Amino acid sequence: MVIATIAGVQQVSADRINAARSLGANRIQVIGRVLLPATLPDLIGGIRVAVGFAWTTVVAAELNNGIPGIGGLAYLAGQQLNTPLTMACIIVIGLTALTLDAVISWIGALVVPWKGKA
């Protein structure tokens, strides 16, 4: 998310910042009305990537340690050769990831309508 935010801020044209300053905007107004709106699309993209990595990490940690959760259930089902339950866990993991991404995309479309569809 930090990298996405930095990239978003770097993409803001200096002309926009200078135009806001020449119209009398102070530092807070430049940040709130120029930098933040221009950076939001990249920030939402960073959130999508971060949530994907977080979900993958949680499931992988459960798979490795057998911690109670969907990854732990998949691990135990695999150890017991319960293929239908293992496949069901894999499908639930994938559908959850798709749902998380869709929700974040939907929120991004509400928060940043000027970006267009991703």
Side-chain angles (χ1 to χ4, degrees), residues 73-82 86:
L73 182 61
Y75 174 76
L76 293 175
Q79 291 293 322
Q80 298 170 357
L81 299 176
N82 189 349
T86 304

Side-chain angles (χ1 to χ4, degrees), residues 61-105:
E62 291 175 354
L63 280 169
N64 287 335
N65 297 323
I67 298 170
I70 191 70
L73 182 61
Y75 174 76
L76 293 175
Q79 291 293 322
Q80 298 170 357
L81 299 176
N82 189 349
T83 305
L85 182 58
T86 304
M87 294 302 292
C89 289
I90 291 169
I91 290 169
V92 168
I93 289 167
L95 289 176
T96 302
L98 289 173
T99 303
L100 284 169
D101 186 59
V103 167
I104 294 169
S105 293

Side-chain angles (χ1 to χ4, degrees), residues 15-86:
D15 292 338
R16 285 185 181 184
I17 296 170
N18 291 333
R21 285 187 181 153
S22 69
L23 291 171
N26 61 25
R27 186 181 186 103
I28 303 271
Q29 289 172 328
V30 169
I31 291 170
R33 297 190 181 201
V34 177
L35 286 176
L36 185 62
T39 306
L40 272 176
D42 291 316
L43 188 60
I44 297 292
I47 290 171
R48 287 178 70 187
V49 171
V51 167
F53 277 118
W55 176 244
T56 303
T57 303
V58 166
V59 172
E62 291 175 354
L63 280 169
N64 287 335
N65 297 323
I67 298 170
I70 191 70
L73 182 61
Y75 174 76
L76 293 175
Q79 291 293 322
Q80 298 170 357
L81 299 176
N82 189 349
T83 305
L85 182 58
T86 304

